[in-house]
Amino acid sequence: MALIVHKYGGTSMGSTERIKNVAKRVAKWHDAGHQIVVVPSAMSGETNRIIGLAKEIMAQPDPRELDMIASTGEQVSVGLLAMALQAIGKQAVSYAGWQVAIKTDSSYTKARIASIDDVKVKADLDAGKIVIITGFQGVDEQGNITTLGRGGSDTSAVAVAAALKAQECLIYTDVDGVYTTDPRVVSDARRLNTVTFEEMLEMASLGSKVLQIRSVEFAGNYRMPTRVLSSLTDPLMPLEEEAKSGTLISFEEDTHMEQATITGIAFNRDEAKITVLGVPDRPGIAYQILGPVADANIEVDMIIQNQSVEGKTDFTFTVPRGEYQKAMEVLEGSVKAHIGAASIAGDSKVSKVSVVGVGMRSHVGIASQMFRTLSEEGINIQMISTSEIKISVLIDEKYMELAVRALHKAFGLENA
Ligand code: ASP
Ligand code: MG
């Protein structure tokens, strides 16, 4: 017998028919002798619908009131699932975040979990009940309802699993796992049986949107084994088979590395590049350029400063494409004159492609293989950045898919 947390996404909870299927699956796990806590999302489209209503009233709704309503989709889900379980003869009880309680800070619409009380849940589990807890929501010190940011139910589930010291957190979703790259770009992308949480963090932050990134951080911090698996299979499929399906997010030490050096190719289509030309090369310049950009709440990613020639240098960095105009305005506004730069150039049609893998720690030559592959395809590299387990290049958006396909093949990631 083990304590296991299941999380079901919006699609899996999308209709009463589907909720009945979730109930069958959950009951199957409970019948096998496990203690089960379920953390569902709102029914698909519901959170968007609710936020849409708020926006019909005002463009910038008060975040506290927004959380008050945005959190209700999950409340409907838990109640319906409890009923669906009761309808098939299971004892089940649902809780909103504040009832558990899942305590958060007060940053409405993006609150962070501070603590989770396990007393009530443990007592219910010991009494043989299936416990269903709202995803996405919590309560702050003052008793205000908060939400954890879009996609936050993943984080709720992993956090609940960590608090209860569950054996595993199973994230049931509409894809059957994590792939070597997006199968819409590379048709023979392969599903990974395991991926380390560090790799997953890189893949998630680079645009593979299977899980909310904060949930992966939680899994890593609390060493919670977390599995991404399909909710579209037959709910009554054999449990042993289901328990091994999907992709397990694991920890380097306890994985027998199935894969070679590289685990996946991640990409981010929507990048923009900005170059400040002819900047005096003196202390404080990076701060004077990037400080105002950060103050405008714009996230900067890759950064390069060139060798200076006659006391002048060029400074290049990337921002999300959606922030490009704003960043240019900030720089053209006061920064350029203030630092005495010659000019500012930009390109909003660039993409980032990265190879990711913990195997990089013990293998050399990955970067040169990556650069050779791109050069054979005639793709120009505009910027390069590296971390211990990742090499990223910035290239013309036109060549992004070509680059991803070529690298996927060069590193032998395709389906055997
Ligand atoms: N219902 C919330 C959303 O749509 C949370 C979640 O589904 O994870 O973002
Ligand atoms: Mg989601």
Side-chain angles (χ1 to χ4, degrees):
M1 186 193 81
L3 198 169
I4 293 173
V5 173
H6 284 197
K7 186 262 170 179
Y8 291 91
T11 316
S12 326
M13 298 294 292
S15 65
T16 47
E17 256 343 284
R18 291 196 175 170
I19 292 174
K20 287 182 192 169
N21 275 335
V22 168
K24 281 186 204 157
R25 196 183 293 278
V26 170
K28 174 181 76 182
W29 281 78
H30 193 258
D31 288 340
H34 299 300
Q35 294 189 321
I36 305 291
V37 175
V38 189
V39 179
S41 289
M43 296 171 81
S44 57
E46 189 55 17
T47 312
N48 285 342
R49 186 186 71 83
I50 295 167
I51 293 173
L53 291 176
K55 301 247 153 113
E56 281 174 27
I57 299 211
M58 59 198 300
Q60 300 285 348
D62 175 23
R64 180 189 183 278
E65 304 311 325
L66 199 56
D67 277 359
M68 179 62 100
I69 60 169
S71 58
T72 59
E74 272 70 13
Q75 208 164 313
V76 172
S77 286
V78 292
L80 288 174
L81 182 55
M83 291 174 210
L85 281 161
Q86 289 165 3
I88 55 173
K90 285 287 176 190
Q91 277 186 285
V93 57
S94 69
Y95 292 116
W98 63 269
Q99 291 175 306
V100 171
I102 298 178
K103 293 258 177 66
T104 70
D105 63 16
S106 304
S107 335
Y108 299 114
T109 75
K110 47 177 184 303
R112 284 184 173 270
I113 295 176
S115 67
I116 298 179
D117 187 353
D118 63 359
V119 173
K120 207 185 284 186
V121 178
K122 282 257 161 78
D124 287 329
L125 290 172
D126 289 342
K129 290 180 197 165
I130 293 164
V131 180
I132 308 157
I133 303 173
T134 49
F136 185 47
Q137 56 162 275
V139 63
D140 74 1
E141 257 332 302
Q142 288 73 42
N144 300 300
I145 290 175
T146 56
T147 69
L148 309 182
R150 298 307 305 269
S153 297
D154 295 333
T155 301
S156 306
V158 178
V160 164
L164 294 170
K165 303 194 172 53
Q167 177 176 296
E168 201 167 298
C169 181
L170 305 182
I171 311 259
Y172 289 89
T173 179
D174 51 4
V175 294
D176 65 355
V178 180
Y179 279 72
T180 48
T181 194
D182 187 338
R184 284 168 299 191
V185 173
V186 180
S187 57
D188 58 2
R190 180 169 47 88
R191 185 179 54 75
L192 296 161
N193 288 326
T194 62
V195 61
T196 70
F197 93 89
E198 288 163 295
E199 290 168 331
M200 188 63 200
L201 218 48
E202 295 286 8
M203 311 269 261
S205 65
L206 292 165
S208 98
K209 299 196 178 59
V210 187
L211 290 178
Q212 196 200 34
I213 186 146
R214 210 182 274 174
S215 71
V216 182
E217 288 166 5
F218 245 102
N221 290 344
Y222 291 91
R223 305 190 62 76
M224 176 47 57
T226 300
R227 186 180 292 274
V228 176
L229 69 173
S230 174
S231 68
L232 305 175
T233 52
D234 176 1
L236 299 179
M237 76 186 271
L239 189 143
E240 306 69 45
E241 205 181 305
E242 186 172 310
K244 284 188 296 213
S245 67
T247 302
L248 177 66
I249 300 170
S250 61
F251 306 93
E252 211 173 328
E253 317 77 88
D254 29 73
T255 342
H256 301 287
M257 225 78 71
E258 50 163 333
Q259 59 279 82
T261 38
I262 293 305
T263 302
I265 313 291
F267 57 85
N268 200 346
R269 214 181 284 271
D270 301 320
E271 300 270 329
K273 180 178 76 166
I274 297 176
T275 303
V276 186
L277 294 137
V279 203
D281 188 14
R282 56 174 151 77
I285 279 299
Y287 175 60
Q288 282 166 44
I289 295 173
L290 296 179
V293 175
D295 291 343
N297 240 322
I298 299 168
E299 213 179 304
V300 170
D301 181 21
M302 302 167 105
I303 304 172
I304 295 183
Q305 185 183 329
N306 280 348
Q307 187 76 12
S308 66
V309 178
E310 287 164 16
K312 300 266 185 190
T313 182
D314 300 335
F315 194 91
T316 306
F317 59 95
T318 62
V319 296
R321 195 173 297 167
E323 310 272 27
Y324 174 66
Q325 283 308 336
K326 196 161 118 195
M328 285 300 260
E329 280 160 27
V330 167
L331 295 169
E332 291 284 2
S334 54
V335 175
K336 186 177 149 192
H338 179 67
I339 60 173
S343 60
I344 296 175
D347 181 353
S348 64
K349 294 210 159 42
V350 289
S351 300
K352 184 166 79 169
V353 175
S354 310
V355 299
V356 177
V358 289
M360 254 180 237
R361 290 200 177 111
S362 47
H363 289 76
V364 293
I366 307 294
S368 73
Q369 184 170 358
M370 180 182 195
F371 303 152
R372 175 169 9 101
T373 305
L374 295 173
S375 105
E376 279 164 8
E377 298 294 336
I379 299 170
N380 185 40
I381 301 171
Q382 303 181 15
M383 291 173 88
I384 300 168
S385 75
T386 62
S387 80
E388 225 189 335
I389 64 162
K390 177 191 73 172
I391 305 164
S392 303
V393 295
L394 194 74
I395 59 173
D396 188 324
E397 174 193 59
K398 280 205 294 282
Y399 303 120
M400 195 207 78
E401 298 206 355
L402 173 63
V404 172
R405 279 190 213 108
L407 291 168
H408 197 268
K409 192 157 198 303
F411 287 104
L413 294 174
E414 67 272 23
N415 253 322

